[in-house]
Amino acid sequence: PILQYASEIRSAVLIVHGAKAHSCYFSKDAFKKLTGDNKTLMIIPAANHTDLYDNIKYIPMREIVAFYKKSFS
């Protein structure tokens, strides 16, 4: 039921997940439930779940900034 209302989200959505994270399937499932063209799913190939907390090597800063500029400016 956690994704029950995902299709009702109208604001821009960015999901960033490490491909090596055990929970990557959930981000993919959530993304499938979203509607509209203002959604982005970034799967970072070599990253696990915690790499995206503070490891600059894996965090796609340019892509994140570009998403926010496009979606909220």
Side-chain angles (χ1 to χ4, degrees):
I2 196 166
L3 295 176
Q4 181 176 354
Y5 299 104
S7 64
E8 296 178 18
I9 297 172
R10 299 293 175 247
S11 57
V13 176
L14 172 63
I15 300 173
V16 182
H17 213 110
K20 293 184 177 182
H22 69 279
S23 57
C24 189
Y25 74 92
F26 186 81
S27 288
K28 292 175 181 178
D29 290 347
F31 185 76
K32 289 176 191 174
K33 298 262 185 191
L34 298 171
T35 58
D37 59 357
N38 58 346
K39 61 181 183 169
T40 299
L41 173 63
M42 289 184 202
I43 302 295
I44 311 306
N48 63 40
H49 185 78
T50 57
D51 284 332
L52 297 172
Y53 291 166
D54 59 2
N55 191 335
I56 296 297
K57 174 182 172 184
Y58 294 104
I59 300 170
M61 296 304 288
R62 283 190 205 111
E63 291 87 349
I64 292 170
V65 169
F67 174 84
Y68 277 98
K69 285 183 177 179
K70 175 186 167 194
S71 300
F72 301 105
S73 55

